[in-house]
């Protein structure tokens, strides 16, 4: 089973606004609309079977609506694997985790940069401890800020790995968007999954080669970061940049299904 492990979709009422926010923050022009029907069409065109759909509550008040939307996607779209979200300002997180588990949600997305907290805050520790047995946790990592100023960075996730060695963490963007040298120092080669999203246009060949040599290939997940990028184009780009054989490409496309225990 082939997965796009890093996509986003939005309610049609807010999709245009969400896409414009992505354009503004990252200085890019999103290639896609951010609407679920468009995502499904593009994933199928890329030859993929399913997609992980991520959302992150930007405030405590948005946790329940965001998770309601994730659950609605799960009910309406059999090929969607929505991840839930949590926020450290949300007091009732234990019941929210129980709700997501009971409804078959397999993962959580945390995006400290957009959610307004730092990944090294101690109040995150009990949440991660409670979630680690039941959920894959995908973290946005990195930005153009220096790591010490960045709410998320490879060093902060490495510290969480030290605290939770059995947790199933995914470090998005090859371990750290625009922070790949730092990721090579403290994340790459460890017991952490990385995805390929929003990196191939920016990472240089030497750094990319170093990551590929050091990190276990069974822990590399294909991700397009739809709607920023088209899944079909990102599959082709990944194959070209890494000079992948078909079996190796198929491995990266199917690693996510194995991580999530899908048949």
């Amino acid at each position: 089973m082939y997965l796009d492990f890093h996509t986003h979709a939005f309610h049609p009422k807010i999709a245009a606004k969400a896409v414009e926010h992505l354009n503004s923050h990252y200085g890019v022009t999103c290639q896609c609309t951010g609407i679920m029907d468009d995502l499904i069409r593009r994933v199928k065109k890329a030859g993929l079977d399913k997609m992980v759909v991520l959302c992150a509550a930007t405030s405590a008040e948005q946790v329940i609506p965001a998770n309601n939307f994730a659950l609605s996607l799960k009910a309406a779209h059999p090929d969607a694997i929505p991840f839930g979200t949590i926020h450290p300002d949300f007091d009732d997180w234990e019941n929210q985790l129980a709700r997501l588990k009971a409804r078959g949600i397999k993962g959580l997305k945390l995006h400290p940069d957009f959610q307004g907290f730092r990944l090294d805050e101690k109040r995150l520790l009990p949440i991660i401890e409670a979630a680690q047995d039941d959920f894959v946790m995908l973290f946005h990592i990195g930005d153009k800020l220096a790591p010490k100023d960045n709410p998320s960075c490879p060093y902060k996730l490495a510290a969480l790995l030290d605290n939770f060695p059995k947790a199933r963490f995914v470090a998005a963007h090859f371990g750290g968007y625009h922070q790949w040298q730092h990721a090579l120092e403290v994340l790459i080669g460890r017991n952490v999954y990385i995805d390929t999203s929003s990196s191939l246009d920016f990472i240089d060949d030497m750094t990319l080669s170093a990551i590929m040599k050091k990190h276990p290939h069974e822990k590399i997940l294909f991700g397009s970061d739809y709607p920023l990028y088209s899944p079909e184009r990102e599959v082709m780009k990944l194959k070209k940049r890494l000079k992948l054989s078909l079996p190796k490409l198929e491995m990266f496309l199917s690693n996510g299904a194995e991580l999530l225990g899908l048949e």
Side-chain angles (χ1 to χ4, degrees):
M1 183 182 295
Y2 299 156
L3 263 60
D4 186 334
F5 210 89
H6 194 131
T7 74
H8 309 272
F10 310 100
H11 191 283
K13 289 183 178 180
I14 67 165
K17 184 177 180 181
V19 165
E20 181 54 38
H21 173 69
L22 292 171
N23 289 341
S24 174
H25 182 83
Y26 290 112
V28 300
T29 300
C30 287
Q31 297 176 0
C32 313
T33 66
I35 296 173
M36 196 65 199
D37 288 346
D38 181 59
L39 170 57
I40 293 172
R41 179 179 63 83
R42 290 177 181 271
V43 163
K44 296 300 182 181
K45 188 177 180 182
L48 308 175
D49 300 298
K50 294 178 182 288
M51 74 295 295
V52 171
V53 186
L54 307 168
C55 63
T58 55
S59 67
E61 293 75 20
Q62 288 301 313
V63 169
I64 291 177
N67 287 334
N68 287 345
F69 181 61
L71 291 168
S72 73
L73 294 181
K74 186 175 187 295
H77 303 286
D79 294 332
I81 306 167
F83 276 22
T85 188
I86 205 72
H87 195 289
D89 290 338
F90 182 75
D91 293 333
D92 197 27
W93 57 263
E94 290 177 292
N95 284 330
Q96 198 63 201
L97 291 180
R99 175 194 184 211
L100 293 172
K101 178 184 176 182
R103 297 287 294 275
I105 296 296
K106 294 179 177 292
L108 302 172
K109 167 69 184 294
L110 287 91
H111 194 314
D113 305 59
F114 284 178
Q115 292 185 272
F117 61 86
R118 288 174 62 91
L119 202 52
D120 54 3
E121 294 185 31
K122 291 184 178 179
R123 60 190 179 138
L124 281 174
L125 299 180
I127 299 174
I128 294 173
E129 183 174 6
Q132 64 178 334
D133 290 336
D134 300 314
F135 300 96
V136 172
M137 284 173 269
L138 189 149
F139 299 88
H140 169 91
I141 301 294
D143 209 312
K144 294 182 180 179
L145 293 172
K148 65 181 178 63
D149 299 321
N150 189 191
S152 65
C153 75
Y155 301 102
K156 296 179 182 67
L157 186 58
L160 290 178
L161 273 176
D162 292 338
N163 281 323
F164 303 103
K166 296 181 181 179
R168 294 168 295 161
F169 291 157
V170 180
H173 319 306
F174 278 104
Y177 180 69
H178 285 287
Q179 295 181 353
W180 297 294
Q181 290 298 332
H182 302 291
L184 275 165
E185 289 183 22
V186 295
L187 282 183
I188 301 304
R190 297 189 63 183
N191 183 33
V192 60
Y193 289 82
I194 61 175
D195 78 31
T196 67
S197 64
S198 285
S199 299
L200 295 171
D201 285 348
F202 310 104
I203 191 170
D204 64 87
D205 287 341
M206 185 177 296
T207 302
L208 183 58
S209 177
I211 291 173
M212 296 305 298
K213 288 178 180 177
K214 189 175 181 180
H215 203 71
H217 285 191
E218 65 271 15
K219 294 186 180 297
I220 299 175
L221 313 172
F222 169 74
S224 69
D225 217 352
Y226 174 98
L228 277 82
Y229 300 96
S230 159
E232 183 181 25
R233 291 184 183 180
E234 289 301 293
V235 169
M236 295 171 60
K237 198 182 302 177
L238 183 68
K239 183 179 179 182
K240 183 177 181 180
R241 282 291 310 269
L242 298 179
K243 300 179 174 62
L244 297 177
S245 65
L246 181 58
K248 183 65 71 171
L249 175 63
E250 290 175 339
M251 179 183 184
F252 294 154
L253 298 179
S254 59
N255 281 340
E258 185 170 343
L259 170 59
L260 295 174
L262 304 179
E263 295 182 0

